[in-house]
């Protein structure tokens, strides 16, 4: 029995003394927004987590010296955004909620339970955006269904197929930057 206890303690301490081979830095920013309207008070909690991970590598692994020099390795950055609204938590890779301009009309794109909703300037819902498996979006209005994506500048690009002309038309909603 005594040998068993000593053996378990030896295993426990040896697991704890393993060397760390990665530098990890995590930063979490939580924003709570309270919205009061005719339905009551609603809280929207947005949590953004940025994690930077860097592998630790030794520059000269064959060296016999006690203190070894580490080699610079690339830093991997992982950003995660969690949005809790109406009791539903949704993980968003990149939050595309913003104002967009098309032909002088200002549209608002806002995250919802299933993706995004697009609103006209008066607050009337214009369309919905639903994410597909390949990080693109299905854009659906009352009369139209399009394929959408965000370009590198953050603009919303819609591609719509027209059966009559057998062509694809492109529509670009420009993001409004403050």
């Amino acid at each position: 029995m005594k040998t068993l206890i000593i053996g378990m303690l030896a295993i426990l301490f040896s697991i704890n003394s393993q060397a760390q081979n990665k530098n990890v830095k995590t930063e979490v920013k939580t924003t709570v927004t309270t919205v009061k309207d005719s339905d009551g008070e609603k809280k929207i909690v947005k949590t953004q987590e940025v994690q930077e991970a860097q592998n630790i590598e030794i520059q000269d692994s064959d060296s016999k010296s006690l203190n070894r020099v580490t080699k610079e390795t690339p830093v991997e950055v992982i950003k995660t955004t969690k949005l809790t609204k109406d009791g539903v938590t949704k993980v968003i890779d990149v939050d595309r909620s913003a104002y967009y301009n098309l032909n002088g009309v200002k549209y608002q794109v806002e995250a919802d339970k299933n993706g995004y909703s697009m609103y006209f300037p008066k607050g009337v819902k214009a369309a919905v955006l639903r994410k597909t498996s390949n990080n693109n979006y299905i854009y659906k209005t009352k009369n139209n269904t399009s394929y959408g994506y965000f370009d590198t500048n953050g603009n919303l690009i819609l591609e719509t197929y027209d059966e009559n002309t057998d062509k694809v038309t492109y529509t670009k909603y420009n993001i409004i930057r403050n």
Side-chain angles (χ1 to χ4, degrees):
M1 185 70 172
K2 184 177 178 181
T3 310
L4 179 66
I5 292 174
I6 291 174
M8 288 177 21
L9 286 174
I11 291 173
L12 181 67
F13 285 116
S14 67
I15 291 173
N16 196 19
S17 66
Q18 296 296 320
Q20 180 182 359
N21 61 356
K22 215 177 232 195
N23 282 335
V24 179
K25 179 180 130 185
T26 304
E27 189 176 309
V28 178
K29 179 182 174 187
T30 302
T31 307
V32 179
T33 307
T34 304
V35 178
K36 293 182 183 179
D37 60 6
S38 61
D39 295 334
E41 188 175 288
K42 295 179 184 176
K43 287 190 178 183
I44 301 171
V45 180
K46 183 177 181 180
T47 305
Q48 293 176 316
E49 180 179 341
V50 178
Q51 183 180 50
E52 297 176 1
Q54 182 179 24
N55 287 331
I56 298 173
E57 294 181 11
I58 298 175
Q59 196 167 18
D60 185 17
S61 60
D62 296 333
S63 173
K64 301 283 187 205
S65 67
L66 183 61
N67 296 326
R68 297 183 183 173
V69 179
T70 59
K71 173 170 52 170
E72 287 291 324
T73 57
V75 177
E76 180 183 348
V77 179
I78 301 167
K79 295 181 182 179
T80 307
T81 302
K82 293 180 184 176
L83 187 66
T84 303
K85 186 176 182 181
D86 298 330
V88 177
T89 301
K90 178 180 162 188
V91 177
I92 303 171
D93 296 333
V94 176
D95 189 5
R96 300 291 185 178
S97 297
Y99 288 97
Y100 293 85
N101 184 15
L102 177 67
N103 299 330
V105 180
K106 184 178 176 182
Y107 294 90
Q108 180 183 7
V109 173
E110 185 178 276
D112 62 15
K113 286 191 256 189
N114 301 316
Y116 294 99
S117 294
M118 181 181 273
Y119 296 96
F120 287 117
K122 301 274 186 197
V124 178
K125 189 183 261 189
V128 294
L129 288 156
R130 298 297 178 243
K131 191 171 187 175
T132 62
S133 61
N134 58 354
N135 287 332
N136 294 309
Y137 293 86
I138 296 172
Y139 175 87
K140 177 74 174 124
T141 63
K142 288 181 186 176
N143 308 329
N144 196 354
T145 302
S146 301
Y147 165 82
Y149 59 92
F150 292 93
D151 66 7
T152 55
N153 297 323
N155 299 316
L156 174 61
I157 310 295
L158 297 180
E159 298 179 7
T160 308
Y161 175 70
D162 186 2
E163 289 182 33
N164 300 330
T165 61
D166 193 31
K167 294 191 178 191
V168 176
T169 59
Y170 296 91
T171 308
K172 181 178 180 180
Y173 288 83
N174 294 311
I175 190 167
I176 299 173
R177 303 210 186 264
N178 293 337

